Amino acid sequence: MFYAGLPYVIWNFGREPLGDYTAMLISTIPGIVYTIYRFILDKQFNITGLLILCSLALGTTVDLLSGSAEQMIWNGVYQVFFIHFFILLR
């Protein structure tokens, strides 16, 4: 619900009054808040959890620096390619 349902509702109802870029940014907030909440609640920080948090932080930073909805989408594509390239080099 926090990763797909709520962001979809925010996107559908927020796109018209807020614009594409702002609606896309706001729709990422529920997933980030829920992930941090689950880590605090479980009190279990491991390598995988830290990798997920770093990935979310990097994605959010890239989204905030994008400036437009189209550039935000392209930057997400570049980020995925970079992460896969980094993993393949390992």
Coordinates of all heavy atoms in Angstrom, one line a residue:
M1 N 0.8 -1.2 0.0 CA 0.0 0.0 0.0 C 0.9 1.3 0.0 O 0.6 2.2 -0.7 CB -0.9 0.0 1.2 CG -1.7 1.2 1.3 SD -3.1 1.0 2.5 CE -3.3 2.7 2.9
F2 N 1.9 1.3 0.8 CA 2.8 2.5 0.9 C 3.7 2.6 -0.3 O 4.2 3.7 -0.5 CB 3.6 2.4 2.2 CG 2.8 2.6 3.4 CD1 2.4 1.5 4.2 CD2 2.3 3.8 3.8 CE1 1.6 1.6 5.3 CE2 1.5 4.0 4.9 CZ 1.2 2.9 5.7
Y3 N 4.0 1.5 -1.0 CA 4.9 1.6 -2.1 C 4.2 1.8 -3.4 O 4.8 2.2 -4.4 CB 5.8 0.3 -2.1 CG 6.7 0.2 -1.0 CD1 6.6 -0.8 -0.1 CD2 7.7 1.2 -0.7 CE1 7.5 -0.9 1.0 CE2 8.6 1.1 0.4 CZ 8.4 0.0 1.2 OH 9.3 -0.1 2.3
A4 N 3.0 1.3 -3.6 CA 2.3 1.4 -4.8 C 0.9 2.1 -4.7 O 0.6 3.0 -5.6 CB 2.1 0.0 -5.4
G5 N 0.1 1.7 -3.8 CA -1.3 2.3 -3.7 C -1.3 3.7 -3.4 O -1.9 4.5 -4.2
L6 N -0.7 4.2 -2.3 CA -0.8 5.6 -1.9 C -0.1 6.5 -2.9 O -0.6 7.5 -3.3 CB -0.2 5.7 -0.5 CG -0.5 7.0 0.2 CD1 -2.0 7.3 0.2 CD2 0.0 6.9 1.6
P7 N 1.1 6.1 -3.4 CA 1.7 6.9 -4.5 C 0.9 7.1 -5.7 O 0.9 8.1 -6.4 CB 3.1 6.2 -4.8 CG 3.4 5.5 -3.5 CD 2.1 5.1 -3.0
Y8 N 0.2 6.0 -6.1 CA -0.7 6.0 -7.3 C -1.8 7.0 -7.1 O -2.1 7.8 -8.0 CB -1.2 4.6 -7.6 CG -2.0 4.6 -8.8 CD1 -1.4 4.7 -10.1 CD2 -3.4 4.4 -8.8 CE1 -2.2 4.7 -11.3 CE2 -4.2 4.4 -9.9 CZ -3.6 4.5 -11.2 OH -4.3 4.5 -12.3
V9 N -2.4 7.0 -5.9 CA -3.5 7.9 -5.6 C -3.0 9.4 -5.6 O -3.6 10.3 -6.1 CB -4.1 7.6 -4.2 CG1 -5.1 8.6 -3.8 CG2 -4.8 6.2 -4.3
I10 N -1.8 9.6 -5.0 CA -1.2 10.9 -5.0 C -0.9 11.4 -6.4 O -1.2 12.6 -6.7 CB 0.1 11.0 -4.1 CG1 -0.3 10.7 -2.6 CG2 0.8 12.3 -4.3 CD1 0.9 10.5 -1.7
W11 N -0.4 10.5 -7.2 CA -0.1 10.9 -8.6 C -1.4 11.2 -9.4 O -1.5 12.2 -10.1 CB 0.6 9.7 -9.3 CG 0.7 9.8 -10.8 CD1 0.0 9.1 -11.7 CD2 1.5 10.7 -11.5 NE1 0.3 9.5 -12.9 CE2 1.2 10.5 -12.9 CE3 2.4 11.7 -11.2 CZ2 1.8 11.2 -13.9 CZ3 3.0 12.4 -12.2 CH2 2.7 12.2 -13.5
N12 N -2.4 10.4 -9.2 CA -3.7 10.7 -10.0 C -4.4 11.9 -9.5 O -4.9 12.7 -10.4 CB -4.6 9.5 -9.8 CG -4.3 8.4 -10.8 OD1 -3.7 8.6 -11.9 ND2 -4.7 7.2 -10.5
F13 N -4.5 12.2 -8.2 CA -5.2 13.3 -7.8 C -4.3 14.6 -7.6 O -4.9 15.7 -7.5 CB -5.9 13.0 -6.5 CG -7.0 12.0 -6.6 CD1 -6.9 10.7 -6.1 CD2 -8.2 12.3 -7.3 CE1 -7.9 9.8 -6.3 CE2 -9.2 11.4 -7.5 CZ -9.0 10.1 -7.0
G14 N -3.0 14.4 -7.5 CA -2.2 15.6 -7.3 C -1.6 16.1 -8.6 O -1.0 17.2 -8.6
R15 N -1.7 15.4 -9.7 CA -1.1 15.8 -11.0 C -1.7 17.1 -11.5 O -1.0 18.0 -12.0 CB -1.2 14.7 -12.0 CG -0.2 14.8 -13.0 CD -0.2 13.5 -13.8 NE -1.0 13.7 -15.0 CZ -1.4 12.7 -15.8 NH1 -0.9 11.5 -15.6 NH2 -2.1 13.0 -16.8
E16 N -3.0 17.1 -11.5 CA -3.7 18.3 -12.0 C -3.4 19.6 -11.2 O -3.0 20.6 -11.8 CB -5.2 18.0 -12.0 CG -6.0 19.1 -12.7 CD -5.9 19.0 -14.2 OE1 -5.6 17.9 -14.7 OE2 -6.1 20.1 -14.8
P17 N -3.6 19.6 -9.9 CA -3.4 20.9 -9.2 C -1.9 21.2 -8.9 O -1.5 22.4 -8.9 CB -4.1 20.7 -7.9 CG -4.2 19.2 -7.6 CD -4.2 18.6 -9.0
L18 N -1.0 20.2 -8.8 CA 0.3 20.4 -8.4 C 1.3 20.4 -9.6 O 2.4 21.0 -9.5 CB 0.8 19.4 -7.4 CG 0.0 19.3 -6.1 CD1 0.5 18.1 -5.3 CD2 0.2 20.6 -5.3
G19 N 1.0 19.7 -10.7 CA 1.9 19.5 -11.8 C 2.6 18.2 -11.7 O 2.6 17.6 -10.6
D20 N 3.1 17.7 -12.8 CA 3.7 16.4 -12.9 C 4.9 16.2 -11.9 O 5.0 15.3 -11.2 CB 4.2 16.1 -14.3 CG 3.0 15.9 -15.3 OD1 1.9 15.7 -14.8 OD2 3.3 16.0 -16.5
Y21 N 5.8 17.2 -12.0 CA 7.1 17.0 -11.2 C 6.8 17.0 -9.7 O 7.3 16.2 -9.0 CB 8.0 18.2 -11.5 CG 9.3 18.2 -10.8 CD1 10.2 17.1 -10.9 CD2 9.7 19.2 -10.0 CE1 11.4 17.1 -10.2 CE2 10.9 19.2 -9.3 CZ 11.7 18.2 -9.4 OH 12.9 18.2 -8.7
T22 N 6.0 17.9 -9.2 CA 5.7 18.0 -7.8 C 4.9 16.8 -7.3 O 5.2 16.2 -6.3 CB 4.9 19.3 -7.5 OG1 5.6 20.4 -8.0 CG2 4.7 19.5 -6.0
A23 N 4.0 16.3 -8.2 CA 3.2 15.1 -7.8 C 4.1 13.9 -7.7 O 3.9 13.0 -6.9 CB 2.1 14.9 -8.8
M24 N 5.1 13.8 -8.6 CA 6.0 12.7 -8.6 C 6.9 12.7 -7.4 O 7.1 11.7 -6.7 CB 6.9 12.7 -9.9 CG 6.1 12.3 -11.1 SD 7.1 12.5 -12.6 CE 8.1 11.1 -12.6
L25 N 7.3 13.9 -7.0 CA 8.1 14.0 -5.8 C 7.3 13.7 -4.5 O 7.8 12.9 -3.6 CB 8.7 15.5 -5.6 CG 9.8 15.8 -6.5 CD1 10.2 17.3 -6.3 CD2 11.0 15.0 -6.2
I26 N 6.1 14.2 -4.4 CA 5.3 13.9 -3.2 C 4.9 12.5 -3.1 O 4.8 11.9 -2.0 CB 4.0 14.9 -3.2 CG1 4.5 16.3 -3.0 CG2 3.1 14.4 -2.2 CD1 3.4 17.3 -3.2
S27 N 4.7 11.8 -4.3 CA 4.3 10.4 -4.3 C 5.4 9.5 -3.8 O 5.2 8.3 -3.4 CB 3.8 10.0 -5.6 OG 4.9 9.9 -6.6
T28 N 6.7 10.0 -3.7 CA 7.8 9.1 -3.1 C 7.8 9.2 -1.6 O 8.5 8.3 -1.0 CB 9.1 9.6 -3.7 OG1 9.4 10.9 -3.3 CG2 9.2 9.5 -5.2
I29 N 7.2 10.1 -1.0 CA 7.3 10.3 0.4 C 6.7 9.2 1.2 O 7.4 8.7 2.2 CB 6.7 11.7 0.8 CG1 7.5 12.8 0.3 CG2 6.5 11.8 2.4 CD1 6.9 14.2 0.4
P30 N 5.5 8.6 0.9 CA 5.0 7.5 1.7 C 5.9 6.3 1.8 O 6.1 5.7 2.9 CB 3.7 7.1 1.1 CG 3.3 8.3 0.3 CD 4.6 9.0 -0.1
G31 N 6.6 5.9 0.7 CA 7.5 4.8 0.7 C 8.7 5.0 1.6 O 9.1 4.1 2.3
I32 N 9.3 6.2 1.5 CA 10.4 6.5 2.3 C 10.1 6.6 3.8 O 10.8 6.0 4.6 CB 11.0 7.9 1.8 CG1 11.6 7.8 0.4 CG2 12.1 8.4 2.8 CD1 11.9 9.1 -0.2
V33 N 9.0 7.2 4.1 CA 8.6 7.3 5.5 C 8.3 5.9 6.1 O 8.7 5.5 7.2 CB 7.4 8.2 5.7 CG1 6.8 8.1 7.1 CG2 7.7 9.6 5.4
Y34 N 7.6 5.0 5.3 CA 7.3 3.7 5.8 C 8.6 2.8 5.9 O 8.7 2.1 6.9 CB 6.3 3.0 4.8 CG 6.0 1.6 5.2 CD1 5.1 1.4 6.3 CD2 6.4 0.5 4.5 CE1 4.8 0.1 6.7 CE2 6.1 -0.8 4.9 CZ 5.3 -1.0 6.0 OH 5.0 -2.2 6.4
T35 N 9.5 3.0 5.0 CA 10.7 2.2 5.1 C 11.5 2.6 6.4 O 12.0 1.7 7.1 CB 11.6 2.4 3.9 OG1 10.9 2.0 2.7 CG2 12.9 1.6 4.0
I36 N 11.7 3.9 6.6 CA 12.4 4.3 7.8 C 11.6 3.9 9.1 O 12.2 3.5 10.0 CB 12.6 5.9 7.8 CG1 13.5 6.2 6.6 CG2 13.1 6.4 9.1 CD1 13.6 7.7 6.3
Y37 N 10.3 4.0 9.1 CA 9.5 3.5 10.2 C 9.7 2.1 10.5 O 9.9 1.7 11.7 CB 8.0 3.8 9.9 CG 7.1 3.2 10.9 CD1 6.9 3.7 12.2 CD2 6.3 2.0 10.5 CE1 6.0 3.1 13.1 CE2 5.5 1.4 11.4 CZ 5.3 1.9 12.7 OH 4.5 1.3 13.6
R38 N 9.8 1.2 9.4 CA 10.0 -0.2 9.6 C 11.4 -0.5 10.2 O 11.5 -1.4 11.0 CB 9.8 -1.0 8.3 CG 8.3 -1.0 7.9 CD 7.4 -1.6 8.9 NE 7.8 -3.0 9.3 CZ 7.1 -3.7 10.2 NH1 6.1 -3.2 10.8 NH2 7.6 -4.8 10.5
F39 N 12.4 0.2 9.7 CA 13.7 0.0 10.3 C 13.8 0.4 11.7 O 14.5 -0.3 12.5 CB 14.7 0.8 9.4 CG 15.1 0.1 8.2 CD1 15.0 0.7 7.0 CD2 15.7 -1.2 8.2 CE1 15.3 0.0 5.8 CE2 16.0 -1.9 7.1 CZ 15.9 -1.2 5.8
I40 N 13.2 1.5 12.1 CA 13.2 1.9 13.5 C 12.4 1.0 14.4 O 12.8 0.6 15.5 CB 12.6 3.4 13.6 CG1 13.6 4.3 13.0 CG2 12.4 3.7 15.1 CD1 13.1 5.8 12.9
L41 N 11.2 0.5 13.9 CA 10.4 -0.4 14.6 C 11.1 -1.8 14.8 O 11.1 -2.3 15.9 CB 9.1 -0.6 13.9 CG 8.0 -1.4 14.7 CD1 7.5 -0.7 15.9 CD2 6.8 -1.7 13.7
D42 N 11.7 -2.3 13.8 CA 12.4 -3.6 13.9 C 13.7 -3.6 14.6 O 14.2 -4.6 15.1 CB 12.6 -4.2 12.5 CG 11.3 -4.6 11.8 OD1 10.2 -4.7 12.5 OD2 11.2 -4.7 10.6
K43 N 14.3 -2.4 14.6 CA 15.6 -2.2 15.2 C 16.6 -3.2 14.7 O 17.4 -3.8 15.4 CB 15.5 -2.3 16.8 CG 14.7 -1.2 17.4 CD 14.6 -1.3 18.8 CE 13.7 -0.2 19.3 NZ 13.2 -0.4 20.6
Q44 N 16.5 -3.4 13.4 CA 17.4 -4.4 12.8 C 18.1 -3.7 11.6 O 17.5 -3.6 10.5 CB 16.6 -5.6 12.3 CG 17.5 -6.7 11.7 CD 16.6 -7.9 11.3 OE1 15.4 -7.8 11.3 NE2 17.3 -8.9 10.9
F45 N 19.3 -3.3 11.8 CA 20.0 -2.6 10.7 C 21.1 -3.6 10.2 O 22.0 -4.0 11.0 CB 20.7 -1.3 11.2 CG 19.7 -0.3 11.5 CD1 19.3 0.0 12.8 CD2 19.1 0.5 10.5 CE1 18.4 0.9 13.1 CE2 18.2 1.5 10.8 CZ 17.8 1.7 12.1
N46 N 21.0 -4.0 9.0 CA 22.0 -4.9 8.4 C 22.5 -4.3 7.1 O 22.0 -3.3 6.7 CB 21.4 -6.3 8.2 CG 20.1 -6.3 7.5 OD1 19.8 -5.4 6.7 ND2 19.3 -7.3 7.7
I47 N 23.3 -5.0 6.4 CA 23.9 -4.5 5.2 C 22.8 -4.3 4.1 O 22.8 -3.3 3.4 CB 24.9 -5.5 4.6 CG1 26.1 -5.6 5.6 CG2 25.4 -5.1 3.3 CD1 26.8 -4.3 5.9
T48 N 21.9 -5.2 4.0 CA 20.8 -5.1 3.0 C 19.9 -3.9 3.4 O 19.5 -3.1 2.5 CB 19.9 -6.4 3.0 OG1 20.8 -7.5 2.8 CG2 18.8 -6.3 2.0
G49 N 19.6 -3.7 4.6 CA 18.8 -2.6 5.0 C 19.5 -1.2 4.8 O 18.9 -0.3 4.3
L50 N 20.8 -1.2 5.1 CA 21.5 0.0 4.8 C 21.6 0.3 3.3 O 21.6 1.4 2.8 CB 22.9 -0.1 5.4 CG 23.0 0.0 6.9 CD1 24.4 -0.3 7.4 CD2 22.4 1.3 7.4
L51 N 21.7 -0.8 2.5 CA 21.8 -0.6 1.0 C 20.4 -0.1 0.5 O 20.4 0.8 -0.3 CB 22.1 -2.0 0.4 CG 22.1 -2.0 -1.2 CD1 23.3 -1.1 -1.6 CD2 22.2 -3.4 -1.7
I52 N 19.3 -0.5 1.1 CA 18.0 0.0 0.7 C 17.9 1.4 1.1 O 17.4 2.3 0.3 CB 16.9 -0.9 1.3 CG1 16.9 -2.3 0.7 CG2 15.5 -0.2 1.2 CD1 16.0 -3.2 1.4
L53 N 18.3 1.8 2.3 CA 18.2 3.2 2.7 C 19.1 4.1 1.9 O 18.7 5.2 1.5 CB 18.6 3.3 4.2 CG 17.5 2.9 5.2 CD1 18.0 3.0 6.6 CD2 16.3 3.7 5.0
C54 N 20.3 3.6 1.5 CA 21.2 4.4 0.7 C 20.6 4.6 -0.7 O 20.7 5.7 -1.3 CB 22.6 3.8 0.6 SG 23.5 3.9 2.1
S55 N 20.0 3.5 -1.2 CA 19.4 3.6 -2.5 C 18.2 4.6 -2.5 O 18.1 5.4 -3.5 CB 18.9 2.2 -2.9 OG 18.2 2.3 -4.2
L56 N 17.4 4.6 -1.5 CA 16.3 5.5 -1.4 C 16.8 7.0 -1.2 O 16.3 7.9 -1.9 CB 15.4 5.2 -0.2 CG 14.5 4.0 -0.3 CD1 13.8 3.7 1.0 CD2 13.4 4.4 -1.3
A57 N 17.9 7.1 -0.5 CA 18.4 8.5 -0.3 C 19.0 9.0 -1.6 O 18.8 10.2 -2.0 CB 19.5 8.5 0.8
L58 N 19.7 8.1 -2.3 CA 20.3 8.5 -3.6 C 19.2 8.8 -4.6 O 19.2 9.8 -5.3 CB 21.2 7.4 -4.2 CG 21.8 7.7 -5.5 CD1 22.8 8.8 -5.4 CD2 22.5 6.4 -6.0
G59 N 18.2 8.0 -4.7 CA 17.0 8.2 -5.6 C 16.3 9.5 -5.3 O 16.0 10.3 -6.2
T60 N 16.1 9.8 -4.0 CA 15.4 11.1 -3.6 C 16.3 12.3 -4.0 O 15.8 13.3 -4.5 CB 15.1 11.0 -2.1 OG1 14.3 9.9 -1.8 CG2 14.4 12.3 -1.7
T61 N 17.6 12.2 -3.7 CA 18.5 13.3 -4.1 C 18.4 13.5 -5.6 O 18.4 14.7 -6.0 CB 19.9 13.0 -3.6 OG1 19.9 12.7 -2.2 CG2 20.8 14.1 -3.9
V62 N 18.5 12.5 -6.4 CA 18.5 12.6 -7.8 C 17.1 13.2 -8.3 O 17.1 14.1 -9.1 CB 18.7 11.3 -8.5 CG1 18.4 11.3 -10.0 CG2 20.2 10.8 -8.3
D63 N 16.1 12.8 -7.6 CA 14.7 13.3 -8.0 C 14.6 14.8 -7.7 O 14.1 15.6 -8.5 CB 13.6 12.6 -7.2 CG 13.5 11.1 -7.7 OD1 14.0 10.8 -8.8 OD2 12.8 10.4 -7.0
L64 N 15.2 15.2 -6.5 CA 15.1 16.6 -6.1 C 15.9 17.5 -7.0 O 15.6 18.7 -7.3 CB 15.5 16.8 -4.7 CG 14.5 16.3 -3.6 CD1 15.2 16.3 -2.3 CD2 13.3 17.1 -3.7
L65 N 17.0 17.0 -7.5 CA 17.9 17.8 -8.4 C 17.5 17.8 -9.9 O 18.1 18.5 -10.7 CB 19.4 17.3 -8.3 CG 20.0 17.4 -6.9 CD1 21.4 16.8 -6.8 CD2 20.1 18.9 -6.5
S66 N 16.5 17.0 -10.2 CA 16.1 16.8 -11.6 C 15.6 18.1 -12.2 O 15.9 18.5 -13.3 CB 15.1 15.7 -11.8 OG 15.7 14.5 -11.5
G67 N 14.6 18.7 -11.6 CA 14.0 20.0 -12.1 C 12.8 19.9 -12.9 O 12.0 20.8 -13.0
S68 N 12.6 18.7 -13.5 CA 11.3 18.6 -14.3 C 10.9 17.1 -14.3 O 11.8 16.2 -14.0 CB 11.5 19.0 -15.8 OG 12.4 18.1 -16.5
A69 N 9.7 16.8 -14.6 CA 9.2 15.4 -14.6 C 9.9 14.5 -15.6 O 10.3 13.4 -15.3 CB 7.7 15.4 -14.8
E70 N 10.1 15.1 -16.8 CA 10.8 14.2 -17.8 C 12.3 14.0 -17.4 O 12.7 12.8 -17.6 CB 10.8 15.0 -19.2 CG 11.4 14.1 -20.3 CD 11.3 14.8 -21.6 OE1 10.7 15.9 -21.7 OE2 11.8 14.2 -22.6
Q71 N 12.9 15.0 -16.9 CA 14.3 14.7 -16.5 C 14.4 13.8 -15.3 O 15.3 13.0 -15.2 CB 15.0 16.1 -16.2 CG 16.5 16.0 -16.0 CD 17.2 15.5 -17.2 OE1 16.9 15.9 -18.3 NE2 18.1 14.5 -17.1
M72 N 13.4 13.9 -14.5 CA 13.3 13.0 -13.3 C 13.2 11.5 -13.8 O 13.9 10.6 -13.2 CB 12.1 13.3 -12.4 CG 12.0 12.6 -11.2 SD 10.6 13.3 -10.3 CE 10.4 12.1 -9.0
I73 N 12.4 11.3 -14.8 CA 12.3 9.9 -15.3 C 13.6 9.4 -15.9 O 14.1 8.3 -15.7 CB 11.1 9.8 -16.3 CG1 9.8 10.1 -15.6 CG2 11.1 8.5 -17.1 CD1 8.6 10.2 -16.5
W74 N 14.2 10.3 -16.7 CA 15.5 9.9 -17.4 C 16.6 9.7 -16.3 O 17.4 8.8 -16.5 CB 15.9 11.0 -18.4 CG 15.2 10.8 -19.7 CD1 14.3 11.6 -20.2 CD2 15.4 9.7 -20.6 NE1 13.8 11.0 -21.4 CE2 14.5 9.9 -21.7 CE3 16.1 8.5 -20.6 CZ2 14.4 9.0 -22.7 CZ3 16.0 7.6 -21.7 CH2 15.2 7.9 -22.7
N75 N 16.6 10.5 -15.3 CA 17.6 10.4 -14.3 C 17.4 9.1 -13.5 O 18.4 8.4 -13.1 CB 17.6 11.5 -13.3 CG 18.2 12.8 -13.9 OD1 18.9 12.7 -15.0 ND2 18.0 13.9 -13.3
G76 N 16.2 8.6 -13.4 CA 15.9 7.3 -12.7 C 16.4 6.2 -13.6 O 17.0 5.2 -13.1
V77 N 16.3 6.3 -14.9 CA 16.8 5.3 -15.8 C 18.3 5.3 -15.7 O 18.9 4.2 -15.6 CB 16.4 5.6 -17.3 CG1 17.1 4.7 -18.3 CG2 14.9 5.5 -17.4
Y78 N 19.0 6.4 -15.7 CA 20.4 6.5 -15.6 C 20.9 5.9 -14.3 O 21.9 5.2 -14.2 CB 21.0 7.9 -15.8 CG 20.6 8.5 -17.1 CD1 20.4 9.9 -17.1 CD2 20.6 7.8 -18.3 CE1 20.1 10.5 -18.4 CE2 20.3 8.4 -19.5 CZ 20.1 9.8 -19.5 OH 19.8 10.4 -20.7
Q79 N 20.2 6.2 -13.2 CA 20.5 5.6 -11.9 C 20.4 4.1 -11.9 O 21.3 3.5 -11.3 CB 19.6 6.2 -10.9 CG 19.9 5.8 -9.5 CD 18.9 6.3 -8.5 OE1 18.1 7.2 -8.8 NE2 19.0 5.8 -7.3
V80 N 19.4 3.6 -12.5 CA 19.3 2.1 -12.5 C 20.4 1.5 -13.3 O 21.0 0.5 -12.9 CB 17.9 1.7 -13.1 CG1 17.9 0.2 -13.4 CG2 16.8 2.0 -12.1
F81 N 20.8 2.1 -14.4 CA 21.9 1.6 -15.2 C 23.2 1.6 -14.4 O 24.0 0.7 -14.5 CB 22.1 2.3 -16.5 CG 21.1 1.9 -17.6 CD1 20.6 2.9 -18.5 CD2 20.6 0.6 -17.7 CE1 19.7 2.5 -19.4 CE2 19.7 0.3 -18.7 CZ 19.3 1.2 -19.6
F82 N 23.4 2.7 -13.7 CA 24.6 2.9 -12.9 C 24.7 1.8 -11.8 O 25.7 1.2 -11.6 CB 24.7 4.3 -12.3 CG 25.8 4.5 -11.4 CD1 27.1 4.6 -11.8 CD2 25.6 4.5 -10.0 CE1 28.2 4.8 -11.0 CE2 26.7 4.6 -9.1 CZ 28.0 4.8 -9.6
I83 N 23.6 1.6 -11.1 CA 23.6 0.6 -10.0 C 23.8 -0.8 -10.6 O 24.6 -1.6 -10.0 CB 22.2 0.7 -9.3 CG1 22.2 2.0 -8.5 CG2 22.1 -0.5 -8.4 CD1 20.8 2.2 -7.8
H84 N 23.2 -1.1 -11.7 CA 23.4 -2.4 -12.3 C 24.9 -2.6 -12.8 O 25.5 -3.6 -12.6 CB 22.5 -2.7 -13.5 CG 21.1 -3.1 -13.0 ND1 20.1 -2.1 -12.8 CD2 20.6 -4.3 -12.7 CE1 19.0 -2.7 -12.4 NE2 19.3 -4.0 -12.3
F85 N 25.4 -1.5 -13.4 CA 26.8 -1.5 -13.8 C 27.8 -1.7 -12.6 O 28.7 -2.5 -12.6 CB 27.2 -0.3 -14.6 CG 28.6 -0.2 -15.0 CD1 29.0 -1.0 -16.1 CD2 29.5 0.7 -14.5 CE1 30.3 -0.9 -16.6 CE2 30.8 0.7 -14.9 CZ 31.2 -0.1 -16.0
F86 N 27.5 -1.0 -11.5 CA 28.2 -1.1 -10.3 C 28.2 -2.5 -9.7 O 29.2 -3.1 -9.3 CB 27.8 -0.1 -9.3 CG 28.5 -0.1 -8.0 CD1 29.8 0.5 -8.0 CD2 28.0 -0.6 -6.8 CE1 30.5 0.5 -6.8 CE2 28.7 -0.6 -5.7 CZ 30.0 -0.1 -5.6
I87 N 27.0 -3.2 -9.7 CA 26.9 -4.5 -9.2 C 27.6 -5.5 -10.1 O 28.2 -6.5 -9.6 CB 25.4 -4.9 -9.1 CG1 24.7 -4.1 -7.9 CG2 25.2 -6.4 -8.8 CD1 23.2 -4.2 -7.8
L88 N 27.5 -5.3 -11.4 CA 28.2 -6.2 -12.3 C 29.8 -6.1 -12.2 O 30.5 -7.1 -12.4 CB 27.8 -5.9 -13.8 CG 26.4 -6.4 -14.2 CD1 26.1 -5.9 -15.6 CD2 26.3 -7.9 -14.1
L89 N 30.3 -5.0 -11.8 CA 31.7 -4.8 -11.6 C 32.2 -5.5 -10.4 O 33.3 -5.9 -10.3 CB 32.1 -3.3 -11.6 CG 32.1 -2.6 -12.9 CD1 32.5 -1.1 -12.6 CD2 33.1 -3.2 -13.8
R90 N 31.3 -5.7 -9.4 CA 31.7 -6.3 -8.2 C 31.9 -7.7 -8.4 O 32.7 -8.4 -8.2 CB 30.5 -6.1 -7.2 CG 30.8 -5.9 -5.8 CD 29.6 -5.8 -5.1 NE 28.8 -7.0 -5.2 CZ 28.3 -7.7 -4.2 NH1 28.4 -7.3 -3.0 NH2 27.6 -8.8 -4.4

